[in-house]
Amino acid sequence: MPTATAPRYSFSTLFPKIELGPKDPILGIQEAFVADPNPQKVSLGVGAYRDDDGKPWILPSVRKAETKLIASPDYNHEYFPIIGSAKLCKEAKKLAYGDDAALDNMVALQSLSGTGSLRVLFGFIKEQWTKASPYSELPMLYFPNQTWGNHRMIAAHAGLKWESYPYHDPKTNGLDFQNLMTFLKNVPQNSVVLFHAVAHNPTGCDPTQEQWKEIAEVVAKREVAVLFDSAYQGFASGDFARDAFSCRYFRNEGKIKNIMLAQSFAKNMGLYGQRVGVVSVDCNSKDEYEKVMSQVKMIARAMYSNPSTHGGKIAELLLTDAELRKEWIESDIVTMSNRIITMREALRSALENTLKSSRSWKHITDQIGMFCFTGLNEQQCDQLMSEHSIYLTRNGRISIAGLNTKNVNRVAEAINAVTK
């Protein structure tokens, strides 16, 4: 009797039904920009700071820190421990919550910029929520109705469900505060609500300090979990304390427990490719601290083992070396923030005063941070790209950092042309 022979497979037959993944919308737009032969093309899609010549800018404090780091006889490329730089973690907590805040029971771990920090936190929620919390089901993650596109992807990758909450009002291009508060007053307790700490991406619409206080009061009453995504501290206004108001108020005055925070130093240190961030989880006791730290380390170990040494050491120096920290906070951050604010004013002035646009562009200067949510629709965005070689995401978001004194008037003229 013949013996059945098991089918033979080659590698090429393992994935015959695999589907082509969608292109990243921002990277796809950047590819189109690169391919455009127009010498006057403008890229307003990528969220990275540029100087007035449209070039990447290494912060002078970062350049000095890197030089000092490499010149040190102790410099090497050995692994960091799982938590990364302990000094960086300590200073990052203080940067977010204040030098006088009691932070000994706050877990902190260096991670891979904002994306990696969020993934660690989402992984922690996925692994520990039903084991350690009073709830038998995983929480719903709530993101603003307009939010950084990767939030949803990271949540799905971690195995968590998400829904949107009212935040941006397209009619006003501002914060939909009334509907936001209505949502928060009724949000299920078994929830994690994500807030952008400052310079909301993509809208640039932030609550006022008084509105943050109202939000904190409602959140505290509902006893939902809070997760802050902080990618623009200092970069938004040029003032680190002002940009940290939401985090500091929620914890120090609002008395909200177990706040989770994902910090990125890509924007405010210009360390985009170095992938430097810090994850923190506020704990209520030393025992809770030890247990949470052990679990967060296990998640990081399984994901990437160790964070960046070179970028981490640069960030550590900027936060611990008195001269470098002073230059970073008082000069470099202010330089970037002021240029962004100046470009907002220039774009609005060109549209309203020079071109006499029939629309109000007040929201350009009302918004804050790297991005502006222009209010342009998809058709208008497509026109800007195809007819004017001005590249932006199709939801109308532009990176103000892509504007400079040489192109801002041309961009204004194009926006005016497609909105008549």
Side-chain angles (χ1 to χ4, degrees):
M1 183 174 181
T3 304
T5 304
R8 297 181 63 186
Y9 294 98
S10 65
F11 182 81
S12 61
T13 65
L14 286 177
F15 308 111
K17 298 180 181 179
I18 195 166
E19 296 180 357
L20 182 67
K23 280 189 174 183
D24 183 282
I26 296 177
L27 297 183
I29 289 167
Q30 187 62 15
E31 288 173 3
F33 167 78
V34 171
D36 189 336
N38 187 341
Q40 292 186 306
K41 62 187 178 182
V42 179
S43 174
L44 302 178
V46 178
Y49 182 80
R50 296 291 183 261
D51 64 17
D52 197 52
D53 293 319
K55 303 295 184 184
W57 189 56
I58 298 178
L59 278 59
S61 58
V62 168
R63 194 177 289 279
K64 291 175 184 176
E66 191 165 29
T67 299
K68 183 175 182 178
L69 181 65
I70 294 173
S72 170
D74 297 327
Y75 180 72
N76 58 62
H77 294 288
E78 292 295 300
Y79 288 124
F80 260 159
I82 298 173
I83 68 163
S85 164
K87 291 180 181 179
L88 168 60
C89 293
K90 179 180 178 181
E91 293 302 319
K93 291 191 293 183
K94 290 162 63 177
L95 193 71
Y97 293 106
D99 290 338
D100 298 328
L103 301 170
D104 289 346
N105 288 334
M106 181 180 288
V107 166
L109 174 146
Q110 181 188 335
S111 189
L112 307 183
S113 200
T115 301
S117 298
L118 288 163
R119 183 61 180 82
V120 168
L121 287 173
F122 291 168
F124 173 69
I125 292 168
K126 177 66 162 60
E127 292 295 325
Q128 296 301 317
W129 194 266
T130 57
K131 298 176 184 176
S133 80
Y135 303 105
S136 59
E137 296 181 354
L138 288 171
M140 182 66 70
L141 296 184
Y142 286 98
F143 302 134
N145 57 2
Q146 293 288 349
T147 196
W148 182 46
N150 219 15
H151 279 150
R152 302 180 181 100
M153 291 180 63
I154 300 167
H157 188 265
L160 297 174
K161 295 180 180 180
W162 58 267
E163 291 184 1
S164 297
Y165 64 81
Y167 188 87
H168 175 259
D169 183 353
K171 295 179 182 178
T172 64
N173 265 313
L175 179 67
D176 188 1
F177 185 66
Q178 183 176 347
N179 285 323
L180 167 60
M181 292 299 289
T182 299
F183 160 78
L184 291 174
K185 289 174 183 177
N186 296 282
V187 64
Q189 276 194 314
N190 187 24
S191 304
V192 178
V193 182
L194 181 143
F195 295 106
H196 297 231
V198 68
H200 182 273
N201 176 9
T203 71
C205 301
D206 284 5
T208 65
Q209 291 190 359
E210 290 305 312
Q211 287 172 332
W212 274 124
K213 292 178 182 179
E214 292 184 53
I215 292 169
E217 182 180 0
V218 172
V219 166
K221 287 179 180 178
R222 293 300 299 160
E223 296 183 339
V224 297
V226 170
L227 193 159
F228 277 110
D229 184 354
S230 179
Y232 298 94
Q233 186 183 356
F235 188 99
S237 70
D239 184 328
F240 277 89
R242 178 179 174 182
D243 289 352
F245 178 83
S246 59
C247 298
R248 294 182 185 187
Y249 186 86
F250 269 53
R251 183 181 189 268
N252 301 336
E253 282 78 35
K255 307 300 181 184
I256 294 173
K257 304 294 185 183
N258 297 123
I259 292 174
M260 294 171 277
L261 173 64
Q263 286 172 278
S264 168
F265 293 101
K267 305 295 193 298
N268 58 15
M269 290 185 179
L271 295 175
Y272 301 98
Q274 296 296 335
R275 314 308 294 146
V276 183
V278 171
V279 171
S280 59
V281 181
D282 201 13
C283 300
N284 297 310
S285 66
K286 185 64 176 177
D287 179 65
E288 188 174 288
Y289 167 92
E290 296 289 350
K291 292 175 180 177
V292 171
M293 175 63 91
S294 70
Q295 295 295 337
V296 171
K297 285 169 66 176
M298 288 176 63
I299 292 165
R301 174 63 169 150
M303 285 176 57
Y304 55 82
S305 287
N306 320 80
S308 161
T309 53
H310 189 70
K313 289 174 182 177
I314 292 172
E316 176 190 310
L317 268 179
L318 255 63
L319 289 171
T320 59
D321 183 289
E323 290 186 8
L324 292 174
R325 184 184 177 110
K326 179 180 175 66
E327 182 175 4
W328 176 53
I329 289 177
E330 297 183 8
S331 178
D332 295 348
I333 280 289
V334 174
T335 295
M336 292 191 291
S337 176
N338 284 352
R339 202 186 85 72
I340 295 294
I341 293 169
T342 299
M343 286 299 101
R344 285 186 179 276
E345 293 169 348
L347 180 60
R348 180 185 174 188
S349 178
L351 284 163
E352 292 185 345
N353 300 329
T354 305
L355 300 169
K356 307 298 181 183
S357 172
S358 59
R359 294 189 176 195
S360 169
W361 297 97
K362 183 175 178 291
H363 58 277
I364 294 176
T365 51
D366 285 347
Q367 296 169 10
I368 189 172
M370 180 174 284
F371 300 109
C372 171
F373 219 51
T374 60
L376 299 175
N377 59 39
E378 289 188 357
Q379 181 181 356
Q380 291 164 336
C381 292
D382 289 341
Q383 278 184 274
L384 283 176
M385 289 187 277
S386 63
E387 298 175 14
H388 301 275
S389 294
I390 293 171
Y391 291 84
L392 69 165
T393 55
R394 297 182 76 233
N395 61 2
R397 187 198 80 167
I398 63 172
S399 173
I400 298 293
L403 296 175
N404 55 58
T405 55
K406 303 170 186 65
N407 67 23
V408 66
N409 289 329
R410 180 173 178 274
V411 170
E413 290 168 0
I415 290 174
N416 187 55
V418 303
T419 55
K420 283 183 177 178

